Amino acid sequence: PRYINGRPVDLAFYSRAANERNSAAPEEERNIKRHAFFRSLVGELPAPLVAPDPERGDLPYVAITDNFLDALRSQSGKLKARSAKVVGFDGKAALFSDDHREDFDAVVLATGYRLDLPFFARETLAQLEFEPRDLLQPAILHECVWRPELPDLAFVGIYRGPYFAAMELQARWACGVFSGRLRAPAPAA
């Protein structure tokens, strides 16, 4: 669903109030509650999808989509899911780790990305403590936006989580600072 009780799901999933209500609970218990909440939203997943399982120690995760699960459930044949990994290609065929082989007209590899900042000087990258292999935090930034030693530079979107709401807040903060309406973070921040 896009909305839960009239609120966009990315805001509902990452509510500060809910986080504060559960802050005294151990992380494992909070993850079990998150799993139950997500399960209540999507119901049983169509085969071969497997939900993260707190019993296995899996962490909950969110993928926001309008029609993916409904398309899988419809069994129209327009969309198929496989849990086996693609291990290679042979012409138009994808080869899977379970020895299955299937022809495709097109293959989209959604593998994520690695941040690259080739337009910055080495000195700037060193100030950012930039590490392109770190997928969680490739640059060390105050509130994922600022490096106080670089007061004329702000980052928007180098963030892992509910993406669009956070990007909008980051952009508003950067615009407020650059317009003079807000103070920039102090270098000691």
Side-chain angles (χ1 to χ4, degrees), residues 31-123:
N31 283 337
I32 289 170
K33 286 182 180 180
R34 288 181 189 120
H35 281 291
F37 174 67
F38 295 150
R39 210 172 14 260
S40 75
L41 294 175
V42 299
E44 283 298 314
L45 292 177
L49 296 183
V50 178
D53 184 353
E55 300 299 318
R56 290 191 309 251
D58 297 341
L59 295 176
Y61 63 88
V62 175
I64 300 171
T65 175
D66 285 332
N67 302 313
F68 177 72
L69 291 176
D70 291 335
L72 279 177
R73 287 181 178 124
S74 76
Q75 299 180 347
S76 67
K78 292 181 180 181
L79 182 65
K80 295 179 185 175
R82 295 197 53 82
S83 58
K85 295 180 181 182
V86 174
V87 294
F89 295 96
D90 181 16
K92 293 183 80 168
L95 311 174
F96 293 91
S97 61
D98 62 0
D99 295 328
H100 183 79
R101 172 189 186 99
E102 192 161 343
D103 287 343
F104 293 93
D105 294 327
V107 174
V108 177
L109 300 174
T111 62
Y113 68 93
R114 292 192 187 276
L115 183 64
D116 189 17
L117 303 172
F119 40 84
F120 284 129
R122 283 191 182 128
E123 297 79 24

Side-chain angles (χ1 to χ4, degrees), residues 13 15 25 35 46 67 74 82-83 118 126 131 141 143 156 175 182 189:
F13 287 163
S15 160
H35 281 291
N67 302 313
S74 76
R82 295 197 53 82
S83 58
E131 177 49 65
L141 302 170
E143 300 292 339
V156 172
C175 288
L182 298 173

